[in-house]
Amino acid sequence: WQTIMTLQRFPQVIQKSLEQADPSLIAKYCLKLSRHFNKYYAGTKILIDDETKESKLTLCFAVALVLKEGLSLLGIEAPEQM
């Protein structure tokens, strides 16, 4: 749940970063999201054929998209694969 809750905060982090002219808020957010997702990914089998596979893949896609956008806002190009 931590990953999902962190994903939901992305727009607020961007807004706060803009208001405070502080890009480090975006960097800290991306690091936090990465840590939460890494913990989730380490303990979850994503590609198992079950009723949750599509949801797990959607979560992976959402995290990748938000991290790519966050890094882009910082002027950092995200790698295509990890």
Side-chain angles (χ1 to χ4, degrees):
W1 291 109
Q2 290 178 327
T3 303
I4 295 169
M5 298 302 287
T6 304
L7 277 172
Q8 292 177 335
R9 290 188 31 249
F10 187 58
Q12 291 85 14
V13 171
I14 300 306
Q15 183 65 38
K16 188 174 180 180
S17 176
L18 179 64
E19 290 169 357
Q20 296 181 7
D22 185 0
S24 73
L25 296 176
I26 298 171
K28 290 174 189 174
Y29 169 85
C30 288
L31 182 59
K32 185 175 187 175
L33 178 59
S34 296
R35 286 181 177 155
H36 287 310
F37 181 72
N38 187 49
K39 185 176 178 182
Y40 167 78
Y41 187 79
T44 304
K45 294 184 180 188
I46 305 294
L47 297 177
I48 299 277
D49 281 330
D50 65 9
E51 65 278 354
T52 64
K53 180 180 176 181
E54 189 173 324
S55 296
K56 292 184 278 189
L57 286 172
T58 300
L59 179 62
C60 293
F61 178 76
V63 168
L65 187 66
V66 168
L67 286 175
K68 184 175 182 177
E69 185 63 28
L71 291 173
S72 176
L73 290 169
L74 295 169
I76 301 169
E77 187 175 336
E80 288 296 319
Q81 290 185 329
M82 292 198 76

